[in-house]
Amino acid sequence: MNDTLLIILMIISAYLAGSVSSAVLVCRLRGLPDPRTQGSGNPGATNVLRIGGGSAAAMVLFFDMLKGAAPAYIAYLLGISGVWLGAIAIAACLGHIYPIFFHFQGGKGVATAFGAMAPIGDDLALALMGSWLALVIITRYSSLAAILTALLAPVYTYYLDDRFTLPVAMLSTLIVIRHRANIQRLCQGQEPRFNLKAKLKSKKNRSN
């Protein structure tokens, strides 16, 4: 197959895979409210955690990361590299952000982007997850943790496997751009903090 045609097919396939909204489907299966109309309105794992609890959020996180990881890894196995590998990963993220199957109302693309980075190596995946978790605990802002982890990702990649620094930097740029409204709210002191303890307490009270 012609290399250009292969790249085009992979970009289209990645976008379609990304367009499958894990958050909306998991919430429907669990009988939960539509995450696009509840909580922050973002159909992602963090908002599903707010409205549906840990197990539903874990499912969303897994599938959101998978739809980023699978196209990127398949493209790598097919010999695609450099900027085109980054373009395929970005296509998966754009599918998540603007899903054709869900009226183009998607999430921020963080889990999908980090999923696309994960096949680079276990050490990078652990560094990304550890950084995000530590930053959420320290700052209590899920959005800020995602932004800072995205900025750290190209640095980690450069030291762990510099072949993929450019594709990772492309993904990181997309994440930061997607969070521009959050950055504005953070600067104005209007960004809501992520309070897991309050969520767990509320869930416990409803079950009593």
Side-chain angles (χ1 to χ4, degrees):
M1 181 183 295
N2 181 275
D3 289 346
T4 302
L5 179 59
L6 176 62
I7 290 170
I8 292 172
L9 289 175
M10 285 302 305
I11 288 174
I12 294 172
S13 298
Y15 172 77
L16 293 175
S19 289
V20 178
S21 180
S22 308
V24 174
L25 293 178
V26 168
C27 285
R28 287 179 183 176
L29 289 172
R30 291 292 190 90
L32 298 169
D34 191 322
R36 295 170 294 181
T37 61
Q38 298 291 319
S40 67
N42 179 53
T46 302
N47 195 34
V48 172
L49 178 61
R50 292 189 184 100
I51 65 178
S55 61
M59 290 177 64
V60 172
L61 181 63
F62 173 78
F63 287 112
D64 278 354
M65 292 186 71
L66 180 63
K67 65 188 186 183
Y73 188 59
I74 291 171
Y76 170 74
L77 292 177
L78 291 173
I80 299 171
S81 61
V83 66
W84 293 116
L85 190 60
I88 290 165
I90 285 176
C93 294
L94 290 176
H96 179 85
I97 296 169
Y98 305 108
I100 192 172
F101 305 127
F102 293 88
H103 310 292
F104 301 100
Q105 298 176 0
K108 295 293 176 68
V110 176
T112 304
F114 288 168
M117 299 176 192
I120 293 173
D122 294 341
D123 43 7
L124 178 61
L126 290 173
L128 293 175
M129 289 188 291
S131 296
W132 181 85
L133 181 60
L135 289 165
V136 166
I137 293 172
I138 293 169
T139 68
R140 297 296 180 184
Y141 289 112
S142 176
S143 58
L144 181 58
I147 293 165
L148 294 176
T149 302
L151 293 174
L152 288 169
V155 179
Y156 292 152
T157 307
Y158 178 78
Y159 284 103
L160 296 172
D161 194 336
D162 61 2
R163 295 176 300 164
F164 302 103
T165 303
L166 177 59
V168 168
M170 292 168 65
L171 286 168
S172 295
T173 301
L174 178 63
I175 292 174
V176 173
I177 292 172
R178 183 60 174 158
H179 281 81
R180 60 190 181 278
N182 302 86
I183 294 171
Q184 184 176 7
R185 288 195 297 268
L186 285 164
C187 292
Q188 296 171 347
Q190 297 176 351
E191 180 77 348
R193 290 180 180 269
F194 181 72
N195 193 334
L196 180 57
K197 289 183 179 179
K199 167 62 191 169
L200 295 175
K201 183 177 179 180
S202 175
K203 185 177 180 181
K204 182 178 179 181
N205 289 339
R206 289 198 303 268
S207 64
N208 289 337

